[in-house]
Amino acid sequence: MKDFILKNYSFLILSIELLACVVGFLSFRKYKDTPVKYFIYFLAYALLIETLGNYTVWITKDGVLCWLFFLVEDTLFVKNYWLFQVFWIIGSPLFFSFYYYQIIKNKTLKTSIKYVAISFAVVSIVLVSVNYHVLYSGFYTPITLLGLLTILFLVFSYFIELTNSNTILVFYRTMTFYISCGILVFWLLTTPLEFYEKYFNANDYSFVFFKFMVFLFSIVFMYLIFTIGLLVSNPKNN
């Protein structure tokens, strides 16, 4: 079972992301007049990033594309950390800031979201520019923590407004509720793993399997709840 999960990890992730993306576009007409349409675009974006991130599987010393490996050897691009750091760790909190800015109606919260997003973007760009060398071997923990704090702020801002509105009576028919639960669980479960990344050893089979299982569970849970939300939500509540 362990060997099966490790060997098919990328396939399992891509499958669940593809499922959510397909359901999203099949439901597009249902949400075309709501901000949820932007979230459906984001599902396609996430699938694209995950697919591109697999280039490290194909570019190897002994593979057909070995010439590409030697072309990027000893560079930032020999690993895919840079891709996920920029387009997921930084990119997804910025997208969700945009999404919640569309959803939130309270002017104070909207203004706060705008400044939090701008601050996160500026600080992230500065940190990556100054410490770009860390992307050779892993993710930059300070940015991941800032991303988590941004996600927490967005989700709790939504929950605060939700509890003070009539929508609370039909929260289970609101797509943003499912989005909030999905990203909250994902970021809370995966962020702590960043602290142990520097101790990562490919020969430590137990840790490798534990890390992959946490990410697999988090991603599967997040995309399944996205899929369920797309199917059961009522656009009028978004």
Side-chain angles (χ1 to χ4, degrees):
M1 182 64 178
K2 290 183 179 180
D3 290 335
F4 174 80
I5 291 175
L6 293 177
K7 290 179 180 179
N8 297 280
Y9 177 79
S10 295
F11 174 75
L12 295 172
I13 297 300
L14 287 172
S15 297
I16 193 65
E17 291 183 349
L18 179 60
L19 172 65
C21 190
V22 169
V23 172
F25 279 98
L26 289 176
S27 307
F28 189 82
R29 289 187 62 185
K30 176 180 173 182
Y31 296 105
K32 66 177 181 179
D33 297 321
T34 74
V36 177
K37 65 182 178 183
Y38 301 118
F39 175 72
I40 295 174
Y41 295 146
F42 176 78
L43 291 177
Y45 165 84
L47 179 61
L48 175 63
I49 296 303
E50 187 66 39
T51 302
L52 293 177
N54 283 320
Y55 77 85
T56 53
V57 175
W58 304 103
I59 302 178
T60 60
K61 288 183 178 180
D62 305 318
V64 177
L65 300 175
C66 59
W67 62 275
L68 280 175
F69 175 84
F70 292 112
L71 186 65
V72 300
E73 190 175 15
D74 299 323
T75 71
L76 181 68
F77 306 104
V78 73
K79 298 290 185 180
N80 58 14
Y81 290 113
W82 67 273
L83 182 71
F84 290 108
Q85 179 75 73
V86 174
F87 294 101
W88 178 260
I89 304 298
I90 297 176
S92 59
L94 290 178
F95 164 75
F96 285 114
S97 295
F98 166 77
Y99 176 79
Y100 282 92
Y101 184 82
Q102 306 299 316
I103 293 294
I104 298 294
K105 297 179 174 60
N106 182 279
K107 291 185 177 179
T108 301
L109 289 176
K110 285 177 75 75
T111 301
S112 298
I113 289 173
K114 180 173 68 175
Y115 286 114
V116 166
I118 293 173
S119 300
F120 173 72
V122 171
V123 173
S124 295
I125 291 172
V126 171
L127 288 176
V128 169
S129 300
V130 175
N131 302 281
Y132 68 92
H133 58 278
V134 301
L135 301 181
Y136 281 84
S137 57
F139 299 115
Y140 194 36
T141 304
I143 295 179
T144 305
L145 288 175
L146 287 174
L148 172 61
L149 292 175
T150 301
I151 293 296
L152 289 174
F153 175 77
L154 296 172
V155 171
F156 285 112
S157 293
Y158 166 72
F159 283 145
I160 288 172
E161 184 165 276
L162 179 65
T163 55
N164 289 300
S165 69
N166 293 329
T167 309
I168 188 65
L169 300 175
V170 288
F171 70 91
Y172 54 89
R173 299 294 304 277
T174 306
M175 185 59 205
T176 307
F177 171 78
Y178 292 94
I179 293 174
S180 299
C181 291
I183 61 176
L184 184 62
V185 170
F186 174 83
W187 280 83
L188 286 177
L189 288 182
T190 59
T191 299
L193 292 177
E194 296 297 320
F195 294 100
Y196 298 97
E197 187 66 30
K198 60 182 178 180
Y199 303 113
F200 176 77
N201 184 343
N203 296 319
D204 187 351
Y205 189 80
S206 297
F207 178 73
V208 170
F209 182 70
F210 172 74
K211 176 184 175 182
F212 275 52
M213 285 302 294
V214 171
F215 272 96
L216 182 61
F217 170 81
S218 303
I219 293 172
V220 169
F221 174 83
M222 179 171 66
Y223 281 96
L224 277 180
I225 202 166
F226 288 167
T227 303
I228 293 171
L230 288 166
L231 293 173
V232 304
S233 297
N234 186 335
K236 294 181 180 179
N237 298 325
N238 291 289

